[in-house]
Amino acid sequence: MNNMLDATILIDNIASGDLISEWGFAICVTYNGKKYLLDTGGSDKYLDNARKLGISIDEVDVAVLSHAHYDHSGGYGSFFKVNSKAQLYVSENCCEDCYFKIGPVRKYVGFPRGVLAANDSRIYRVAGFAKVDDGVYIVPHLKNNLERIGKKAHMYRKVDGRVIPDDFSHEQSLVFETDKGLVVLNSCSHGGLHNILADVNHFLPGKSVHMTIGGLHLAATSNKDVREIAATISKLSIEHVITGHCTGKRAYKILKEELEDKVSQMHVGMKINV
């Protein structure tokens, strides 16, 4: 096997040079001669950054949505206009149904309305685990009761007229197999990194995880809980965690204190080679 991975962060909360930041995440990966785009951030800014970085979005072969929130899907309307060939792989549970809710206050935070229907011929709905190509996989959540995490984070879905805690059944990981081990991309890790890696191990048994890339959704998590999460991560058989976006500066500082060189801060324009 000679599977090398080259990735570039197109959108993150932290800018670099003349590149644009925003609340969201997008990453372009080159692997075995093909280009993969995971998420678009919350707008069309990823296109400006890609142009400045010399990345041609029209050449993307496969697009993947990590989960159905606006800060990861806001640019797909422009993507379908710029790119005429790539299928967008979304979970079969991806709908326009995600909300942020505190008490009676409710705000829609889902996939831009109408974009999925307008581009139905370009949408591939993934039912569970899928092999996208040689060495490239999509891994769903297996664990039940993730709605307790959704409720704690004030994240909900509107299902059959009822607003219920999000169980993140619309969240999925994009996984690449490299000579150093698996590289797991999950943009927000709402289901918990330990649960995600357990899912990866279930579907790809016997394969070690070299690196994870993506946010950890810790911006509103207490210091005590962040340290407990760091302790859990330290016990996982994983060599490197590259994180940003919804992890948050405060939580990242704690993770760095606890995990030292095992964790790195991402930023727009960051290049990752495995």
Side-chain angles (χ1 to χ4, degrees):
M1 185 189 301
N2 187 27
N3 296 328
M4 298 181 64
L5 178 149
D6 296 297
T8 304
I9 306 294
L10 298 182
I11 286 294
D12 180 58
N13 303 5
I14 300 176
S16 177
D18 64 344
L19 301 174
I20 308 167
S21 66
E22 73 174 348
W23 179 266
F25 181 75
I27 184 171
C28 187
V29 176
T30 300
Y31 178 85
N32 283 351
K34 291 186 177 181
K35 287 184 178 177
Y36 299 80
L37 178 70
L38 177 70
D39 296 353
T40 63
S43 70
D44 298 343
K45 292 179 180 178
Y46 76 102
L47 290 174
D48 293 328
N49 287 337
R51 177 178 51 80
K52 292 173 183 176
L53 291 163
I55 295 173
S56 300
I57 297 299
D58 63 310
E59 295 179 355
V60 167
D61 297 288
V62 177
V64 178
L65 175 69
S66 65
H67 62 291
H69 289 165
Y70 79 96
D71 50 333
H72 299 267
S73 59
Y76 279 116
S78 63
F79 174 79
F80 287 121
K81 294 176 182 178
V82 171
N83 182 294
S84 62
K85 64 177 183 177
Q87 291 288 108
L88 172 59
Y89 286 67
V90 306
S91 165
E92 64 177 346
N93 298 307
C94 174
C95 301
E96 299 169 2
D97 63 358
C98 295
Y99 289 83
F100 180 81
K101 179 179 177 294
I102 297 181
V105 179
R106 186 174 72 194
K107 179 183 179 182
Y108 181 70
V109 294
F111 203 105
R113 297 188 189 279
V115 174
L116 288 170
N119 298 279
D120 185 66
S121 64
R122 302 275 303 276
I123 306 297
Y124 183 90
R125 292 192 171 274
V126 183
F129 176 75
K131 180 179 179 179
V132 179
D133 208 333
D134 289 341
V136 185
Y137 311 93
I138 288 177
V139 174
H141 282 308
L142 285 176
K143 188 174 178 63
N144 296 321
N145 301 319
L146 293 183
E147 60 269 17
R148 61 184 176 76
I149 298 177
K151 185 175 182 179
K152 186 175 181 180
H154 305 290
M155 292 184 173
Y156 290 78
R157 298 175 70 198
K158 191 173 183 180
V159 180
D160 297 329
R162 297 187 305 123
V163 178
I164 60 176
D166 199 336
D167 62 357
F168 305 111
S169 59
H170 55 98
E171 184 175 59
Q172 55 188 10
S173 300
L174 178 60
V175 181
F176 295 90
E177 191 170 359
T178 76
D179 293 346
K180 292 186 177 180
L182 300 177
V183 176
V184 179
L185 283 68
N186 188 301
S187 301
C188 280
S189 306
H190 288 109
L193 186 59
H194 59 298
N195 290 326
I196 289 165
L197 295 185
D199 295 335
V200 170
N201 182 65
H202 172 84
F203 288 107
L204 299 168
K207 299 182 184 295
S208 64
V209 175
H210 170 65
M211 178 184 294
T212 63
I213 304 172
L216 298 176
H217 210 262
L218 302 177
T221 303
S222 71
N223 290 357
K224 177 177 179 293
D225 286 348
V226 173
R227 294 191 189 280
E228 290 179 357
I229 290 168
T232 299
I233 292 174
S234 70
K235 297 175 183 177
L236 298 174
S237 56
I238 175 175
E239 295 181 41
H240 209 123
V241 175
I242 298 178
T243 192
H245 177 41
C246 56
T247 299
K249 293 181 179 179
R250 174 189 54 83
Y252 177 77
K253 183 179 179 181
I254 295 172
L255 292 177
K256 192 66 176 177
E257 291 172 358
E258 299 292 331
L259 300 174
E260 299 179 336
D261 291 342
K262 192 170 187 175
V263 64
S264 296
Q265 175 73 63
M266 69 172 64
H267 58 80
V268 180
M270 182 180 188
K271 295 185 180 299
I272 303 162
N273 309 107
V274 180

